[in-house]
Amino acid sequence: MNCKDQDVFSGGLLILFALPGYFCAAQIENLKVSKLSGAFFPDVCFTVMLVCGLILIRQGLQREEKIPLPSINWPKLLPVVGVLIAYVLIMEYVGFIISTMAFMLCCMYAFGVRRKKILLSVPIITAFGVYYLFGKAFMIVLPGLSDLGMFQ
Amino acid sequence: MKNIKSNKSIGRMLAGGVLFAMLAGYGSQSLAADFPTRPINLIVPYAAGGSSDLSARPYAEELGNILKQPVVVMNKPGAGGAIGAAEVARAKGNGYTLLNASIGNITIAPYTSNVGYDHTALRAVAQMTDIPLALTVKADSSFKNLKEFVEYAKKNPGKIRYGSPGAGNIQHVTTEGWMKDIGIKLTHMPFAGANPAIAALLGGHVEATVTGVTEAAPHHKSGALRILGITSPARIDMVDAPTFKEQGYDLQAGVWYGVMAPASTPDDVVNALAAALKKTYDSPKVQSAWKKLFLIPSYLGPAEFGARVKKEAAVNEQVLKDIGLHKK
Amino acid sequence: MEFQTFQAIPEAFLQVMSLTCLAWIAIGTIVGILFGAAPGLTATTAVALFTPITFYMPLNVSLSFLMGVYCGGFYAGSIPAILINTPGAPGNAATVMDGYPMAKKGRAGEALGHSIVASWLGGTASAFALLIFAPLIASMALQFGAPEYFAVAVMGLVCIAGVSGKCLAKGVAGAAIGMVLGTVGMDPIDGLPRFTFGNLNLMGGIALIPALVGLFAITEVLAKAEMIGVSTGEEIICQVKRALPPLKDYITYKYLLIKSIVIGIVVGAIPGTGPTIASWMSYNEAKRTSKHPELFGTGIPEGIIASESSNNAVTGGALIPLLTLGVPGDTVTAVLLGALMIQGITPGPMLMVEHYDIVAQLLIILLVANMVMLAMGLLGSKYFPYILKIPFQVLMPIVAVLCITGGYAVNTSFFDAMMVVVLGSCGYLLVKLGFPVAPIVLGLILGPIIEPNMRRALVGEDLNPLVFISTPISAGLILLSFVLLYFMKRRG
């Protein structure tokens, strides 16, 4: 028995997701007025996931040669995920332009850009370009500094 | 410097009229005198293009012209209008964040789920439009009037399926309340909006619909559908259809749209806004835009609008309890 | 009616051929292309945002502008789909399957050329269908009740088998994951919250567009992030020798085109379905009937042509129920309904009889808008691929900014912007484990159609499951689904 197989792992993951799913679905209030409750359809989906999970595990165990788990290069991946999350979080507080410039700078740095000219010019062009494209052409006002409460 | 500024404020306030000065006089930091000094955000808690959005856009532009500051419409849809309404309820009460409120998100959503606000978290500024509901059947249906409809429903409980724009909407809640009042039982079929419900009625997949009169009127005019009753106190110009009242059923309801502000907004700001909104409301441009969209203009000032909200919230909360949709 | 038709068309033609109308069609098309190409923003957003501008325009100008936006927006979603693996709108998701691999092979210009020509063919054919078949298709669309919608969605589910790649179980599980995500928020029947854990933002549900952008674009950004410093050897060479695909291709693909366009028109005309289902169905059908199904997904023109012609055929199809019944076929036409009403026109059966001149104008405008779109698209196909000359270290952060901004802008919601990142990151892990993305997206789209209609149908008939085969249309569609599945299985 080798748990390292990709299919066995995926199947296990599906089952691990479906079981608490049933539990959450059971918490959904059942209205007396309708004959089919809101939990009915999610339960169907979780059952499908459960069955697929079992099939995958069987398939993975029966197969002679195992498919190895994918290798994930966490040191390269996590910084990018981190700046993405930070970007959305700070945008709410400092507005679109500042957060975008900061994000572009950090993200390009994480992607390995080291040329100062690019690191400085691209964020400024992107931030102002997108801000005015959305504001003027799309008529969508992106969060600005005034939402901070600075002018209140 | 400070003195000069406040003198100026008082001067402008007096010019604003006796009532205005009386209400604005006490305590608050005469914000209204300079109000507004920057753009105002009008939150529409539904998607662009929906009736809430269409009711807001015509007056937002005109209000901006009157206040000499742009009024920016921001769509924040989701959870039946609760997400946008909750945001305004949490906002600072300075008049710069306003809500294009409607009956559903103020008098129903707070009682069906935990949305984090109720109508007391907001204060009424002005009602702008009010649309009665319409009970509609197909033109070739055997129900010629409300009485026949009710009699059939009494004899055949649950046989008539009625489509509504969604579960827990005012159309649904009002109908359930009415059914209970007169002792009939209809089967509810919720759709994702009024238009799909009307389409199902046209195709014969439901026997009736309860929607705003806006969506039913064009089909009534074209002769495809028949409006059995509308829930306004008297007949309306828009469509030639009888009211519930004249057919002997005491049902009055309407989908209203109006402006609400966070509860902490000072009186003088609310009054300045209400005055500007009244001017906006009277503009022929805005009136004609609403009429073309089948929205019925109907202005109420802060006090009357506030009273209406309070009354309807209480009524709807009771109905929701009766039909088991009230949050636990 | 026949006589009226022939008389009204030349008059409408002269009306539309004014400089003002043509200029507004062009402006509309540019706006539509910009919205369509920006990940997350769609033709729907564009039409909704620009409708208020048209409040005070004359009718023909207003229609010119909005139809330009409508057509341009539907097409342009294929540009980012091909260039950066991100469909600009849900209807272009199927274009990613072959468009992006084709661009990776250095044939971005060709892929874009196929997409614009197919879009133009689809759009134009559907405008003619609107002219000829409108009353017929409209009466068919009204036959669709809950069981029929359910059956159409089941047919959509069959596509999962076609896009699951090597492992069907993973595809089906992916669809189930998508459907579970689709149930988050307000229960469409009972109106009570599900899986919201008391969070107000979750009550609004997981919006489709942020999910789509996250699953396609952010996964791509993350995949590139992992390759930092690694020479991949798959540098994209931009060859843009010709943007206009050879005409003989289209003669070879004539049946493919006809099938895809018919699917687009019919699915578009059924209220509440839309381009996403149409384009996936066409893609799947193209693959099923192909002589070389194994080549689908590797970057072949058929995949792009099937998806894009069908996607744009929805434009005319969706107008059919709007104009003939006053019932909008999808979200864009729901917004268009408001735009028409503000002009004092109420779409419905009477429109065709009383104001055929307006309908005729609309048709001419649609045809002209499609021509303008073709011209702009062909010109663009020469230059858009240069975007790929930007090194990925710089391009990917820009893509991320556009996606997150687009995700925010649809509903002005930071929560949606965060969903782009969260779903993108989770999606990336699933992709790494061999789950295909397409079924997750399909589940997310089909779930909210399947569930309410299934429950509506069952509740209406006392929970009798035979309701799904009680009408000829739904029985036929379900039977057809099984037949398709059988043939797909037999061919492997």
PDB file of all heavy atoms in Angstrom, chain B residues 305-323:
ATOM      1  N   PHE B 305     -41.707  58.971   5.215  1.00  0.00           N
ATOM      2  CA  PHE B 305     -40.994  57.794   4.716  1.00  0.00           C
ATOM      3  C   PHE B 305     -40.542  56.927   5.886  1.00  0.00           C
ATOM      4  O   PHE B 305     -40.722  55.702   5.887  1.00  0.00           O
ATOM      5  CB  PHE B 305     -39.801  58.267   3.870  1.00  0.00           C
ATOM      6  CG  PHE B 305     -39.038  57.175   3.192  1.00  0.00           C
ATOM      7  CD1 PHE B 305     -39.646  55.995   2.786  1.00  0.00           C
ATOM      8  CD2 PHE B 305     -37.674  57.334   2.927  1.00  0.00           C
ATOM      9  CE1 PHE B 305     -38.922  55.003   2.143  1.00  0.00           C
ATOM     10  CE2 PHE B 305     -36.947  56.343   2.293  1.00  0.00           C
ATOM     11  CZ  PHE B 305     -37.569  55.169   1.905  1.00  0.00           C
ATOM     12  N   GLY B 306     -40.003  57.586   6.923  1.00  0.00           N
ATOM     13  CA  GLY B 306     -39.553  56.868   8.112  1.00  0.00           C
ATOM     14  C   GLY B 306     -40.701  56.100   8.754  1.00  0.00           C
ATOM     15  O   GLY B 306     -40.559  54.940   9.157  1.00  0.00           O
ATOM     16  N   ALA B 307     -41.869  56.750   8.817  1.00  0.00           N
ATOM     17  CA  ALA B 307     -43.022  56.103   9.442  1.00  0.00           C
ATOM     18  C   ALA B 307     -43.451  54.891   8.622  1.00  0.00           C
ATOM     19  O   ALA B 307     -43.792  53.839   9.178  1.00  0.00           O
ATOM     20  CB  ALA B 307     -44.175  57.107   9.547  1.00  0.00           C
ATOM     21  N   ARG B 308     -43.413  55.026   7.303  1.00  0.00           N
ATOM     22  CA  ARG B 308     -43.814  53.916   6.438  1.00  0.00           C
ATOM     23  C   ARG B 308     -42.881  52.721   6.647  1.00  0.00           C
ATOM     24  O   ARG B 308     -43.335  51.582   6.764  1.00  0.00           O
ATOM     25  CB  ARG B 308     -43.772  54.363   4.974  1.00  0.00           C
ATOM     26  CG  ARG B 308     -44.112  53.222   4.055  1.00  0.00           C
ATOM     27  CD  ARG B 308     -44.185  53.600   2.600  1.00  0.00           C
ATOM     28  NE  ARG B 308     -44.730  52.447   1.875  1.00  0.00           N
ATOM     29  CZ  ARG B 308     -44.999  52.428   0.593  1.00  0.00           C
ATOM     30  NH1 ARG B 308     -44.788  53.498  -0.138  1.00  0.00           N
ATOM     31  NH2 ARG B 308     -45.485  51.352   0.017  1.00  0.00           N
ATOM     32  N   VAL B 309     -41.566  53.012   6.680  1.00  0.00           N
ATOM     33  CA  VAL B 309     -40.583  51.945   6.853  1.00  0.00           C
ATOM     34  C   VAL B 309     -40.853  51.193   8.149  1.00  0.00           C
ATOM     35  O   VAL B 309     -40.879  49.957   8.188  1.00  0.00           O
ATOM     36  CB  VAL B 309     -39.154  52.531   6.859  1.00  0.00           C
ATOM     37  CG1 VAL B 309     -38.150  51.498   7.315  1.00  0.00           C
ATOM     38  CG2 VAL B 309     -38.792  53.063   5.478  1.00  0.00           C
ATOM     39  N   LYS B 310     -41.095  51.964   9.211  1.00  0.00           N
ATOM     40  CA  LYS B 310     -41.289  51.371  10.527  1.00  0.00           C
ATOM     41  C   LYS B 310     -42.518  50.458  10.531  1.00  0.00           C
ATOM     42  O   LYS B 310     -42.475  49.328  11.022  1.00  0.00           O
ATOM     43  CB  LYS B 310     -41.462  52.498  11.548  1.00  0.00           C
ATOM     44  CG  LYS B 310     -41.081  52.090  12.950  1.00  0.00           C
ATOM     45  CD  LYS B 310     -41.120  53.298  13.869  1.00  0.00           C
ATOM     46  CE  LYS B 310     -41.366  52.822  15.289  1.00  0.00           C
ATOM     47  NZ  LYS B 310     -41.716  53.919  16.177  1.00  0.00           N
ATOM     48  N   LYS B 311     -43.588  50.965   9.933  1.00  0.00           N
ATOM     49  CA  LYS B 311     -44.833  50.220   9.919  1.00  0.00           C
ATOM     50  C   LYS B 311     -44.673  48.920   9.116  1.00  0.00           C
ATOM     51  O   LYS B 311     -45.036  47.835   9.581  1.00  0.00           O
ATOM     52  CB  LYS B 311     -45.930  51.096   9.305  1.00  0.00           C
ATOM     53  CG  LYS B 311     -47.318  50.504   9.463  1.00  0.00           C
ATOM     54  CD  LYS B 311     -48.358  51.394   8.798  1.00  0.00           C
ATOM     55  CE  LYS B 311     -49.323  50.537   8.004  1.00  0.00           C
ATOM     56  NZ  LYS B 311     -49.825  51.173   6.809  1.00  0.00           N
ATOM     57  N   GLU B 312     -44.094  49.042   7.929  1.00  0.00           N
ATOM     58  CA  GLU B 312     -44.001  47.861   7.065  1.00  0.00           C
ATOM     59  C   GLU B 312     -43.033  46.828   7.616  1.00  0.00           C
ATOM     60  O   GLU B 312     -43.237  45.631   7.447  1.00  0.00           O
ATOM     61  CB  GLU B 312     -43.605  48.285   5.646  1.00  0.00           C
ATOM     62  CG  GLU B 312     -44.753  49.014   4.984  1.00  0.00           C
ATOM     63  CD  GLU B 312     -44.502  49.378   3.541  1.00  0.00           C
ATOM     64  OE1 GLU B 312     -43.350  49.254   3.076  1.00  0.00           O
ATOM     65  OE2 GLU B 312     -45.458  49.791   2.885  1.00  0.00           O
ATOM     66  N   ALA B 313     -41.984  47.301   8.292  1.00  0.00           N
ATOM     67  CA  ALA B 313     -41.043  46.365   8.894  1.00  0.00           C
ATOM     68  C   ALA B 313     -41.767  45.498   9.918  1.00  0.00           C
ATOM     69  O   ALA B 313     -41.582  44.279   9.972  1.00  0.00           O
ATOM     70  CB  ALA B 313     -39.880  47.115   9.528  1.00  0.00           C
ATOM     71  N   ALA B 314     -42.642  46.134  10.726  1.00  0.00           N
ATOM     72  CA  ALA B 314     -43.366  45.389  11.748  1.00  0.00           C
ATOM     73  C   ALA B 314     -44.318  44.375  11.104  1.00  0.00           C
ATOM     74  O   ALA B 314     -44.385  43.217  11.538  1.00  0.00           O
ATOM     75  CB  ALA B 314     -44.136  46.360  12.642  1.00  0.00           C
ATOM     76  N   VAL B 315     -45.024  44.807  10.080  1.00  0.00           N
ATOM     77  CA  VAL B 315     -45.981  43.915   9.408  1.00  0.00           C
ATOM     78  C   VAL B 315     -45.249  42.714   8.808  1.00  0.00           C
ATOM     79  O   VAL B 315     -45.625  41.559   9.020  1.00  0.00           O
ATOM     80  CB  VAL B 315     -46.752  44.678   8.304  1.00  0.00           C
ATOM     81  CG1 VAL B 315     -47.557  43.703   7.450  1.00  0.00           C
ATOM     82  CG2 VAL B 315     -47.660  45.733   8.927  1.00  0.00           C
ATOM     83  N   ASN B 316     -44.173  42.997   8.066  1.00  0.00           N
ATOM     84  CA  ASN B 316     -43.472  41.915   7.390  1.00  0.00           C
ATOM     85  C   ASN B 316     -42.820  40.950   8.376  1.00  0.00           C
ATOM     86  O   ASN B 316     -42.758  39.756   8.124  1.00  0.00           O
ATOM     87  CB  ASN B 316     -42.431  42.480   6.425  1.00  0.00           C
ATOM     88  CG  ASN B 316     -43.093  43.146   5.233  1.00  0.00           C
ATOM     89  OD1 ASN B 316     -44.216  42.815   4.888  1.00  0.00           O
ATOM     90  ND2 ASN B 316     -42.405  44.077   4.616  1.00  0.00           N
ATOM     91  N   GLU B 317     -42.332  41.490   9.492  1.00  0.00           N
ATOM     92  CA  GLU B 317     -41.722  40.606  10.486  1.00  0.00           C
ATOM     93  C   GLU B 317     -42.762  39.596  10.974  1.00  0.00           C
ATOM     94  O   GLU B 317     -42.467  38.402  11.111  1.00  0.00           O
ATOM     95  CB  GLU B 317     -41.149  41.409  11.655  1.00  0.00           C
ATOM     96  CG  GLU B 317     -40.376  40.507  12.610  1.00  0.00           C
ATOM     97  CD  GLU B 317     -39.736  41.229  13.768  1.00  0.00           C
ATOM     98  OE1 GLU B 317     -40.034  42.419  13.973  1.00  0.00           O
ATOM     99  OE2 GLU B 317     -38.941  40.589  14.467  1.00  0.00           O
ATOM    100  N   GLN B 318     -43.976  40.075  11.194  1.00  0.00           N
ATOM    101  CA  GLN B 318     -45.037  39.187  11.665  1.00  0.00           C
ATOM    102  C   GLN B 318     -45.353  38.110  10.621  1.00  0.00           C
ATOM    103  O   GLN B 318     -45.452  36.930  10.942  1.00  0.00           O
ATOM    104  CB  GLN B 318     -46.292  40.003  12.013  1.00  0.00           C
ATOM    105  CG  GLN B 318     -47.363  39.193  12.719  1.00  0.00           C
ATOM    106  CD  GLN B 318     -46.818  38.457  13.948  1.00  0.00           C
ATOM    107  OE1 GLN B 318     -46.123  39.025  14.779  1.00  0.00           O
ATOM    108  NE2 GLN B 318     -47.112  37.151  14.042  1.00  0.00           N
ATOM    109  N   VAL B 319     -45.484  38.536   9.358  1.00  0.00           N
ATOM    110  CA  VAL B 319     -45.795  37.558   8.299  1.00  0.00           C
ATOM    111  C   VAL B 319     -44.678  36.513   8.214  1.00  0.00           C
ATOM    112  O   VAL B 319     -44.940  35.308   8.108  1.00  0.00           O
ATOM    113  CB  VAL B 319     -45.969  38.254   6.931  1.00  0.00           C
ATOM    114  CG1 VAL B 319     -46.166  37.214   5.830  1.00  0.00           C
ATOM    115  CG2 VAL B 319     -47.148  39.217   6.964  1.00  0.00           C
ATOM    116  N   LEU B 320     -43.442  36.968   8.289  1.00  0.00           N
ATOM    117  CA  LEU B 320     -42.311  36.036   8.192  1.00  0.00           C
ATOM    118  C   LEU B 320     -42.360  35.014   9.316  1.00  0.00           C
ATOM    119  O   LEU B 320     -42.048  33.837   9.131  1.00  0.00           O
ATOM    120  CB  LEU B 320     -40.983  36.810   8.218  1.00  0.00           C
ATOM    121  CG  LEU B 320     -40.700  37.609   6.945  1.00  0.00           C
ATOM    122  CD1 LEU B 320     -39.574  38.601   7.165  1.00  0.00           C
ATOM    123  CD2 LEU B 320     -40.356  36.666   5.792  1.00  0.00           C
ATOM    124  N   LYS B 321     -42.779  35.481  10.521  1.00  0.00           N
ATOM    125  CA  LYS B 321     -42.914  34.550  11.652  1.00  0.00           C
ATOM    126  C   LYS B 321     -44.008  33.534  11.350  1.00  0.00           C
ATOM    127  O   LYS B 321     -43.851  32.343  11.576  1.00  0.00           O
ATOM    128  CB  LYS B 321     -43.259  35.318  12.928  1.00  0.00           C
ATOM    129  CG  LYS B 321     -42.022  35.831  13.641  1.00  0.00           C
ATOM    130  CD  LYS B 321     -42.394  36.489  14.965  1.00  0.00           C
ATOM    131  CE  LYS B 321     -41.158  37.097  15.603  1.00  0.00           C
ATOM    132  NZ  LYS B 321     -41.455  38.270  16.408  1.00  0.00           N
ATOM    133  N   ASP B 322     -45.117  34.036  10.784  1.00  0.00           N
ATOM    134  CA  ASP B 322     -46.252  33.159  10.509  1.00  0.00           C
ATOM    135  C   ASP B 322     -45.914  32.083   9.491  1.00  0.00           C
ATOM    136  O   ASP B 322     -46.395  30.957   9.583  1.00  0.00           O
ATOM    137  CB  ASP B 322     -47.440  33.985   9.986  1.00  0.00           C
ATOM    138  CG  ASP B 322     -48.028  34.872  11.067  1.00  0.00           C
ATOM    139  OD1 ASP B 322     -47.716  34.612  12.250  1.00  0.00           O
ATOM    140  OD2 ASP B 322     -48.773  35.818  10.737  1.00  0.00           O
ATOM    141  N   ILE B 323     -45.120  32.440   8.478  1.00  0.00           N
ATOM    142  CA  ILE B 323     -44.867  31.460   7.424  1.00  0.00           C
ATOM    143  C   ILE B 323     -43.570  30.700   7.642  1.00  0.00           C
ATOM    144  O   ILE B 323     -43.123  29.932   6.794  1.00  0.00           O
ATOM    145  CB  ILE B 323     -44.865  32.109   6.010  1.00  0.00           C
ATOM    146  CG1 ILE B 323     -43.733  33.125   5.878  1.00  0.00           C
ATOM    147  CG2 ILE B 323     -46.200  32.743   5.705  1.00  0.00           C
ATOM    148  CD1 ILE B 323     -43.633  33.714   4.487  1.00  0.00           C
TER     149      ILE B 323
END
